Amino acid sequence: MITIRFVTSDSAVSFGIRYFSYGFWASHVEAKMPDGSLLGAHLSGGVMARAADYDKGEFSRELYVSLMASDDEADKFHAFLRSQLGRPYDTEAIAAFVARRDWKKTESWFCSELIAAALCQCGFFPDHLATDLNHVTPRDVLLMLSSRLTIPA
């Protein structure tokens, strides 16, 4: 099983991401790891695994989406994410809302690009996914997931 968490808050950064994502409600996406931690990329700290309640009281909305995956797919997904621990946050990704860049470069990550890359790495999405786009937002990840499963309202 692969579990993805979508979340937003009332912060200025969340507002900006929502604004440039055509008003989509989620401004952050991360993965729930087998040990219960949440692994994602944040401006503060880059790619890290955080306690499941690290943002308790800070978010205004969240959604967990569970993906039926083989053990092999789930293992590859989680292994890819663990291999990215310590990478910095991709500050260029914020500028990419208006500028060109390669969203699949692995030196640094924006939250939704990290999750999309992990889903490609494990075979849930094809490896050629959106290679001509310059960024992937939380909205894009949820839209792509909705092509494979029913998303709760």
Side-chain angles (χ1 to χ4, degrees):
M1 175 88 60
I2 294 172
T3 303
I4 309 292
R5 178 184 186 235
F6 294 85
V7 66
T8 196
S9 73
D10 295 325
S11 74
V13 171
S14 288
F15 174 80
I17 293 168
R18 290 191 312 268
Y19 178 82
F20 285 106
S21 296
Y22 306 104
F24 180 64
W25 70 268
S27 57
H28 179 67
V29 60
E30 57 199 356
K32 183 175 181 181
M33 299 300 283
D35 67 0
S37 66
L38 297 170
L39 196 155
H42 283 269
L43 182 58
S44 174
V47 179
M48 292 176 56
R50 296 163 177 84
D53 63 350
Y54 80 93
D55 61 352
K56 184 177 180 179
E58 294 178 21
F59 62 86
S60 55
R61 184 174 174 189
E62 75 176 341
L63 170 69
Y64 281 90
V65 176
S66 295
L67 318 177
M68 296 308 295
S70 69
D71 289 344
D72 185 55
E73 288 172 323
D75 290 347
K76 286 179 181 177
F77 176 81
H78 296 119
F80 175 80
L81 290 174
R82 282 190 294 273
S83 77
Q84 301 305 302
L85 287 168
R87 305 274 174 151
Y89 184 80
D90 189 353
T91 53
E92 284 183 27
I94 299 298
F97 283 106
V98 294
R100 297 283 308 164
R101 64 178 280 286
D102 178 5
W103 75 266
K104 290 179 112 180
K105 69 179 187 171
T106 62
E107 296 85 37
S108 58
W109 291 106
F110 182 65
C111 66
S112 46
E113 294 169 349
L114 174 66
I115 298 302
L119 290 166
C120 290
Q121 184 73 25
C122 76
F124 196 82
F125 289 152
D127 188 49
H128 65 274
L129 179 68
T131 55
D132 62 334
L133 297 180
N134 62 333
H135 64 277
V136 176
T137 67
R139 172 187 171 264
D140 298 330
V141 173
L142 192 60
L143 180 62
M144 290 181 286
L145 288 173
S146 73
S147 72
R148 303 253 332 243
L149 56 120
T150 301
I151 304 296

